[in-house]
């Protein structure tokens, strides 16, 4: 069974902002996005900051409310569920964050942080079982169980991320949304956390939605990749194919910026002009057209559909 299926998801935020064309009252952070994740699979979600990745991840775990569309988790549409109905499902649907320190209560000991999840879901009511379970979880993420009575500030950044992972693991999730989980860490620590996530996936069959701006990390950990630009998926497919033969001009530019991923050494670095435009007032037609090196007049007026160009490989571009 598919773990997660997102269908035509839209997340719009109401804002009031005057533009030359009138009043814009909606920020389209996620605009008609569909994808699925299989058990034990890692799907990477990449794009520059401001493209809607984090909003999409938070909506999948219902920290944000979708405007429309469906989120099917283990076959059930959770997009319209309220907090009470979600409680049991949320156990199987966890999130780890970029800033582990910000997501850990500084006044709680590690034992309480990890144990809280067990208590909420009444997973180990007996105190000695609970203690052993917490020690086992800390051991599984590479932390010394004797540190259970310490506070988050007594750990390094990498260790704090391990605490966040232990907390997510406590409730035996089927899917963890990993929002830039290593981007605040040193490179050597990044590798340790990535290896830990891969080991846990192999042992427990957990699926990951792995959000990152670093394509090299995403290629390493993901079986499939989604490339997002201004709220829309512009390319998706197998990680190796996307990194070896990117078809969308935006993906090509992202990959050319990571020398270790540019498998064709003859290819030149593609420098995109400007920054990602504001999603409050996105460009007409193809959102990418003001920065696209091969844009044609049609690109300014018509939004390209996401088409399957090879089995499992989808691209949204008029010229592909
Ligand atoms: Fe570039 Fe046009 Fe393709 Fe958009 S549709 S990526 S502007 S060529």
């Amino acid at each position: 069974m598919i773990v997660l299926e997102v269908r035509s998801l839209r997340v719009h935020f109401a804002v009031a902002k005057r533009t030359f064309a009138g009043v814009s009252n909606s920020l389209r952070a996620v605009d008609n996005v569909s994808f699925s994740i299989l058990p034990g699979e890692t799907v990477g979600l990449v794009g520059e900051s401001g493209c809607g990745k984090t909003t999409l991840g938070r909506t999948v775990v219902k920290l944000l409310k979708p405007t429309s569309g469906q989120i099917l988790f283990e076959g059930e549409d959770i997009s319209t569920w309220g907090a009470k109905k979600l409680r049991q499902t949320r156990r199987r649907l966890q999130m780890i964050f970029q800033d582990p320190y910000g997501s850990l209560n500084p006044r709680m000991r590690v034992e309480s942080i990890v144990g809280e999840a067990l208590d909420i879901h009444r997973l180990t009511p007996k105190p000695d079982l609970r203690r052993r379970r917490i020690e086992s979880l800390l051991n599984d993420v590479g932390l010394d169980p004797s540190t259970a009575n310490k506070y988050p500030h007594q750990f390094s950044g990498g260790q704090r991320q391990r605490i966040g992972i232990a907390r997510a693991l406590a409730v035996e999730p089927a899917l963890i949304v990993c929002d830039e989980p290593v981007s605040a860490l040193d490179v050597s620590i990044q590798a340790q956390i990535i290896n830990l996530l891969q080991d846990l996936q192999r042992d427990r069959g957990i699926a990951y939605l792995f959000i990152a701006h670093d394509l090299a990390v995403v290629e390493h950990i993901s079986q499939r990749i989604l490339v997002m630009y201004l709220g829309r998926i512009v390319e998706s497919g197998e990680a190796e194919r996307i990194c070896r033969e990117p078809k969308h001009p935006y993906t090509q530019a992202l990959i050319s910026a990571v020398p270790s991923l540019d498998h064709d050494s003859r290819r030149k670095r593609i420098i995109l002009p400007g920054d990602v435009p504001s999603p409050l007032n996105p460009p007409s037609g193809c959102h990418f057209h003001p920065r696209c090196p091969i844009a044609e007049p049609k690109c300014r007026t018509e939004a390209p559909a996401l088409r399957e160009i090879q089995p499992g490989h989808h691209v949204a571009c008029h010229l592909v």
Side-chain angles (χ1 to χ4, degrees):
M1 185 202 282
I2 291 172
V3 176
L4 178 77
E5 187 173 1
V6 170
R7 293 183 187 159
S8 307
L9 190 71
R10 289 185 166 85
V11 188
H12 298 177
F13 298 110
V15 287
K17 183 175 187 303
R18 292 210 167 272
T19 65
F20 288 119
V23 175
S24 160
N25 58 6
S26 171
L27 186 156
R28 298 176 174 216
V30 176
D31 197 10
N32 197 17
V33 165
S34 300
F35 65 94
S36 59
I37 305 182
L38 298 170
E41 183 185 35
T42 300
V43 172
L45 178 60
V46 292
E48 291 162 286
S49 82
C51 71
K53 312 183 294 288
T54 291
T55 302
L56 177 54
R58 285 173 181 251
T59 308
V60 163
V61 296
K62 293 295 301 285
L63 290 176
L64 292 172
K65 206 167 159 231
T67 307
S68 65
Q70 291 179 306
I71 303 166
L72 281 90
F73 180 70
E74 297 187 320
E76 296 217 63
D77 183 5
I78 61 168
S79 50
T80 55
W81 287 10
K84 199 171 164 193
K85 203 168 174 199
L86 254 183
R87 201 163 296 136
Q88 268 309 311
T89 299
R90 196 179 302 277
R91 180 167 91 76
R92 307 267 298 148
L93 184 56
Q94 292 289 304
M95 185 158 187
I96 55 176
F97 300 87
Q98 174 178 5
D99 173 14
Y101 197 48
S103 69
L104 303 175
N105 187 333
R107 288 189 292 275
M108 282 169 78
R109 296 178 196 271
V110 169
E111 175 267 335
S112 301
I113 290 171
V114 177
E116 187 180 46
L118 297 171
D119 299 340
I120 288 170
H121 297 286
R122 299 190 183 91
L123 292 178
T124 50
K126 291 188 179 162
D128 57 331
L129 278 180
R130 181 182 183 278
R131 185 178 42 77
R132 268 189 274 149
R133 176 88 178 115
I134 292 166
E135 286 176 359
S136 158
L137 283 162
L138 293 178
N139 195 46
D140 289 349
V141 299
L143 289 171
D144 183 345
S146 69
T147 58
N149 62 350
K150 291 190 173 177
Y151 291 94
H153 74 267
Q154 294 176 284
F155 293 85
S156 67
Q159 287 172 325
R160 286 199 285 262
Q161 193 55 283
R162 289 175 192 267
I163 298 168
I165 295 170
R167 177 176 59 182
L169 282 183
V171 287
E172 296 164 10
L175 173 72
I176 301 180
V177 173
C178 309
D179 185 13
E180 302 266 9
V182 297
S183 48
L185 305 174
D186 291 344
V187 174
S188 61
I189 309 295
Q190 286 187 3
Q192 292 173 15
I193 298 294
I194 295 288
N195 289 341
L196 171 64
L197 289 171
Q198 287 181 313
D199 290 347
L200 294 169
Q201 182 174 61
R202 197 179 47 241
D203 296 345
R204 297 162 192 245
I206 305 168
Y208 297 130
L209 176 61
F210 192 94
I211 301 170
H213 62 272
D214 185 342
L215 252 171
V217 170
V218 170
E219 190 208 21
H220 181 73
I221 193 169
S222 309
Q223 283 89 54
R224 283 188 296 132
I225 290 178
L226 313 171
V227 182
M228 202 167 175
Y229 189 78
L230 272 184
R232 297 175 180 167
I233 302 292
V234 296
E235 184 159 7
S236 66
E238 279 175 24
E240 203 189 332
R241 188 183 292 273
I242 297 276
C243 292
R244 265 187 191 280
E245 297 171 51
K247 297 294 184 201
H248 194 282
Y250 179 59
T251 317
Q252 289 171 348
L254 288 182
I255 291 196
S256 78
V258 187
S260 62
L261 281 185
D262 194 355
H263 299 284
D264 182 352
S265 54
R266 292 160 299 172
R267 199 156 45 199
K268 277 208 315 210
R269 167 94 197 263
I270 303 166
I271 312 262
L272 293 176
D275 296 322
V276 182
S278 166
L280 269 173
N281 191 17
S284 58
C286 174
H287 287 344
F288 187 56
H289 83 255
R291 304 173 78 197
C292 180
I294 59 167
E296 293 194 340
K298 178 185 183 183
C299 305
R300 293 196 194 97
T301 54
E302 278 181 44
L306 189 65
R307 288 181 304 109
E308 189 168 38
I309 57 159
Q310 288 171 29
H313 188 175
H314 294 76
V315 183
C317 174
H318 293 308
L319 303 189
V320 175

